[in-house]
Amino acid sequence: MDPAIWEKIKDHPCYSEEAHHYFARMHVAVAPACNIQCNYCNRKYDCANESRPGVVSERLTPDQALRKVIAVASEVPQLSVLGIAGPGDACYDWKKTKATFERVAREIPDIKLCISTNGLALPDHVGELADMNVDHVTITINMIDPEVGAKIYPWIFYDHRRYTGVEAARILHQRQMLGLEMLTARGILTKINSVMIPTVNDEHLIEVNRWVKERGAFLHNVMPLISDPAHGTHFGLTGQRGPEAVELKALQDSLGGGAKLMRHCRQCRADAVGLLGEDRGQEFTLDKLPDEVIYDAGKREAYREVVACERGDHVAAKSQAVAIVKAADSGKSLLVAVATKGGGRVNEHFGHSKEFQVYEASPRGISFIGHRKVEQYCLGGRGADATLDGVIAALERIDIVLCAKIGDCPKDRLAEAGIRATDVYGYDYIETAISALYAAEFGVEPMAATA
Ligand code: CLF
Ligand code: SF4
């Protein structure tokens, strides 16, 4: 990879799958106004173009946002990125976005600034984004054909008037493509989010992927439509369904040759704080912040030194692990669910996990392919049977679970469902553990696996 690009993504948890094991993001909801209507959105909630639908995030003024960012940056050593990801559109509600970024950059110059936008107002602000050193911009692009767009967007508000139907979708499409090309020309990295809507744009997203790749998109993140009548959205109320997990994976797999795919997105809240798989937002709500905050860089600086050492070691271990799996030449694949709380290691207890990271080991190597959210099974030292049923259901088709600790009871219940589990590789690097498993499973010399 080009060293200049690596420098931009190496600490960004969304733009680098590897970085998401080490670094955290926080979002501040400062820009609530929006200039379009998406059929999967209810304005009472966060912007579903980047965030989990049906969630209401804490809205802040730029000054309140600064106070919150300083408090979080002093307490959360992994923090590397500040994002503005709704509710509303960061480029349309531009004054608040700009005021927030300027204040934060003055106090914490090394924090990365990141926005998510629907793209309509984006071309008006690309110059200012570049001036503010915003290196990462997400544009939600659900279509390149306005006929498809008209099924997703009932109206837009552009240049002081409202447009509807195909005309609205055409303008939106043109502005999205212009914005993407302008960002690419300035070397700003772009991630394209697409909401997969079965029978509306699912097959069309193959074409979208090709178009955005041609225009320099760095990543493509295909997100499932989450459609619930209780959210009160047009799609929710008219029975438009979201894709099944297998449909989403099949589409992602078919996009293999186009723009690089992001598979570790968690559809975060618009006020999320922490590593992607966790949310510490409730620890930093406005009512919990002191009136006066002073930035203490100590924790972040110390953490970065530790990560710098650990990372080289991890990269070497990973490349050795991948070589072992490839050398096995078994023609077989293994689906592994890993309990982890960061650092790229198998370091979470089975019963404490709120999600499992899923890896596929195959003759192509070891790939991160997604995550499975679960309810925490063990609370206060006791496991609940009903919760375990849900965890087992969420682990469907997984061959082996890797964790730092697991008791006999959940292990036996998993075995009954045809899923093996082991804590033998606790605290190993994830890839090292998977390669050892793969070697044991498919008859490679054990010594080679652990050398
Ligand atoms: Fe936030 Fe988005 Fe920036 Fe990341 S989230 S604005 S690029 S800092 Fe990341 Fe969360 Fe997925 Fe977004 S996991 S929803 S992709
Ligand atoms: Fe809702 Fe975001 Fe679409 Fe605006 S851009 S209508 S806030 S989903």
Side-chain angles (χ1 to χ4, degrees), residues 12 14 27 50 81 114 191 262 265-268 276:
H12 196 306
C14 304
H27 291 161
E50 177 83 353
V81 180
C114 190
K191 171 167 73 67
M262 174 185 191
C265 177
R266 305 299 203 276
Q267 289 178 274
C268 318
L276 296 193

Side-chain angles (χ1 to χ4, degrees), residues 201-259:
N201 73 345
D202 43 357
E203 289 171 12
H204 184 60
L205 289 180
I206 295 170
E207 192 75 347
V208 171
N209 181 272
R210 192 172 62 75
W211 270 59
V212 300
K213 184 184 183 189
E214 283 169 10
R215 286 157 183 78
F218 182 74
L219 272 181
H220 191 190
N221 177 24
V222 178
M223 307 162 27
L225 172 73
I226 298 177
S227 182
D228 182 341
H231 296 164
T233 64
H234 174 79
F235 280 152
L237 295 172
T238 54
Q240 171 63 53
R241 71 172 181 90
E244 304 284 338
V246 282
E247 292 175 302
L248 178 66
K249 183 168 185 304
L251 176 64
Q252 289 175 330
D253 290 346
S254 73
L255 298 176

Side-chain angles (χ1 to χ4, degrees), residues 251-319:
L251 176 64
Q252 289 175 330
D253 290 346
S254 73
L255 298 176
K260 187 171 163 9
L261 286 190
M262 174 185 191
R263 293 194 191 237
H264 61 285
C265 177
R266 305 299 203 276
Q267 289 178 274
C268 318
R269 292 173 60 107
D271 57 4
V273 173
L275 294 170
L276 296 193
E278 68 177 4
D279 187 0
R280 298 180 57 184
Q282 290 311 306
E283 296 171 41
F284 299 98
T285 49
L286 266 189
D287 56 314
K288 297 192 181 103
L289 300 180
D291 292 337
E292 295 263 346
V293 284
I294 295 169
Y295 177 46
D296 174 1
K299 285 188 181 167
R300 287 180 71 230
E301 282 171 6
Y303 180 74
R304 273 157 195 271
E305 282 176 27
V306 171
V307 171
C309 297
E310 175 96 351
R311 232 169 164 179
D313 194 37
H314 186 186
V315 168
K318 184 174 174 179
S319 106

Side-chain angles (χ1 to χ4, degrees), residues 34-38 40-43 46-49 87-89 118:
C34 188
N35 49 355
I36 70 173
Q37 179 63 55
C38 307
Y40 44 73
C41 179
N42 177 343
R43 298 297 179 73
D46 290 354
C47 173
N49 279 340
D89 188 78
N118 62 46

